[in-house]
Amino acid sequence: MSSIANVVDGSIVNNGKTPDTSSISKAVEAASKESGGALDKDAFLQLLVTQMQYQDPLEPTDNTEYVSQLATFSTLEEMQNMGATMSRQSASSLVGQYVIMEETSATGDTKTVEGTVDYVTFSGSKTYLSIDGTLYNYDDLKTVADGDYTLAVKLADTFVAQINKLPNYDSLSESDIEAVGKIVEAYSSMNSYQKSFLTDEEQNVYNAYAGWYANMIGTQDTAEQTDSADTGSTEETVSEDTTEIV
């Protein structure tokens, strides 16, 4: 079968358009941008159409090659569908888990977000994790924490929140002894791994409260011992006076 092409000013014209050797390269670049840097099935189809549009009319691409490319396209589509299904199943299993997300902004800045996954939602081919009411792309998932990590984070957060409810340690009074005592007991019940989740600043603040508490307890013990000694001396004196009266 012969091929017929128009020639304008010495150049071959295909459907009224002059073939451009850079057309496919431009299509690759455009498809890559649309797909976020990765060539997905839509990008593959776009490239195939571009190839057909700008083929050399004097040496057209063989039909067998198109069939082979379409078969490759079908395989790619099937693999991506399978990957999307597995991704959804994996994301759904994260509900209730403590995760660490690493989100990169358009300017290249990286932000780390931690929290428990409330629910998982899907939009097209994208999967999103809800953390404290905010949706994050599943692709930004960095770490799934284990139970010990989750417990340690919660204990540290609760511990710091309790300390923040107290007056500044410079303004503490005897009425705060019980509240500070509970803080000291909570800290004592934590293991070394859980305590490591406290920052140096938080640790220093706790040490100030603990020192105040120890001082107050020591003062109270001394006062109680003094009172006990005074009471004993009074009883002894009364007993001696009674003996003399008899």
Side-chain angles (χ1 to χ4, degrees):
M1 179 182 294
S2 61
S3 300
I4 300 176
N6 298 323
V7 178
V8 178
D9 295 331
S11 299
I12 297 175
V13 178
N14 180 23
N15 295 327
K17 298 180 180 180
T18 303
D20 184 359
T21 56
S22 64
S23 296
I24 295 181
S25 298
K26 292 179 180 178
V28 170
E29 182 178 356
S32 180
K33 289 181 179 179
E34 290 179 3
S35 59
L39 294 179
D40 57 10
K41 61 183 181 181
D42 294 330
F44 183 88
L45 184 59
Q46 183 178 346
L47 292 176
L48 181 60
V49 172
T50 303
Q51 181 183 359
M52 295 175 64
Q53 181 180 0
Y54 290 100
Q55 64 179 320
D56 187 349
L58 297 180
E59 296 182 4
T61 304
D62 186 71
N63 292 338
T64 304
E65 184 175 346
Y66 280 128
V67 172
S68 176
Q69 292 181 358
L70 287 173
T72 302
F73 167 75
S74 298
T75 302
L76 174 63
E77 183 178 23
E78 189 65 27
M79 291 178 62
Q80 288 187 331
N81 290 338
M82 183 181 300
T85 300
M86 295 180 63
S87 176
R88 291 191 173 195
Q89 292 177 345
S90 176
S92 298
S93 67
L94 295 177
V95 176
Q97 297 289 325
Y98 195 93
V99 299
I100 300 175
M101 311 293 293
E102 195 170 80
E103 191 177 40
T104 302
S105 65
T107 58
D109 297 328
T110 301
K111 179 179 69 174
T112 300
V113 178
E114 301 184 18
T116 302
V117 178
D118 304 318
Y119 62 88
V120 178
T121 186
F122 309 100
S123 177
S125 60
K126 298 293 184 179
T127 301
Y128 297 93
L129 308 179
S130 174
I131 302 175
D132 295 332
T134 302
L135 295 178
Y136 297 93
N137 196 320
Y138 176 69
D139 295 336
D140 294 330
L141 177 65
K142 180 181 180 182
T143 304
V144 180
D146 61 11
D148 291 338
Y149 181 92
T150 303
L151 177 60
V153 170
K154 289 182 177 179
L155 285 176
D157 290 343
T158 302
F159 182 79
V160 173
Q162 290 176 342
I163 287 183
N164 291 336
K165 292 179 181 179
L166 295 173
N168 189 286
Y169 60 85
D170 292 333
S171 305
L172 293 171
S173 62
E174 290 186 6
S175 61
D176 298 313
I177 292 179
E178 182 179 356
V180 178
K182 291 181 179 180
I183 296 294
V184 174
E185 291 177 3
Y187 183 84
S188 300
S189 65
M190 297 168 63
N191 57 39
S192 57
Y193 175 72
Q194 294 164 349
K195 292 177 182 178
S196 68
F197 282 76
L198 298 175
T199 64
D200 292 340
E201 181 180 356
E202 292 167 349
Q203 184 69 57
N204 292 335
V205 171
Y206 165 74
N207 291 337
Y209 282 102
W212 177 88
Y213 178 76
N215 181 62
M216 293 299 295
I217 293 299
T219 302
Q220 280 191 341
D221 290 343
T222 301
E224 290 175 359
Q225 292 175 2
T226 303
D227 290 343
S228 177
D230 291 343
T231 302
S233 299
T234 303
E235 291 177 351
E236 183 179 352
T237 301
V238 171
S239 176
E240 290 177 356
D241 292 344
T242 303
T243 302
E244 292 176 357
I245 292 174
V246 173

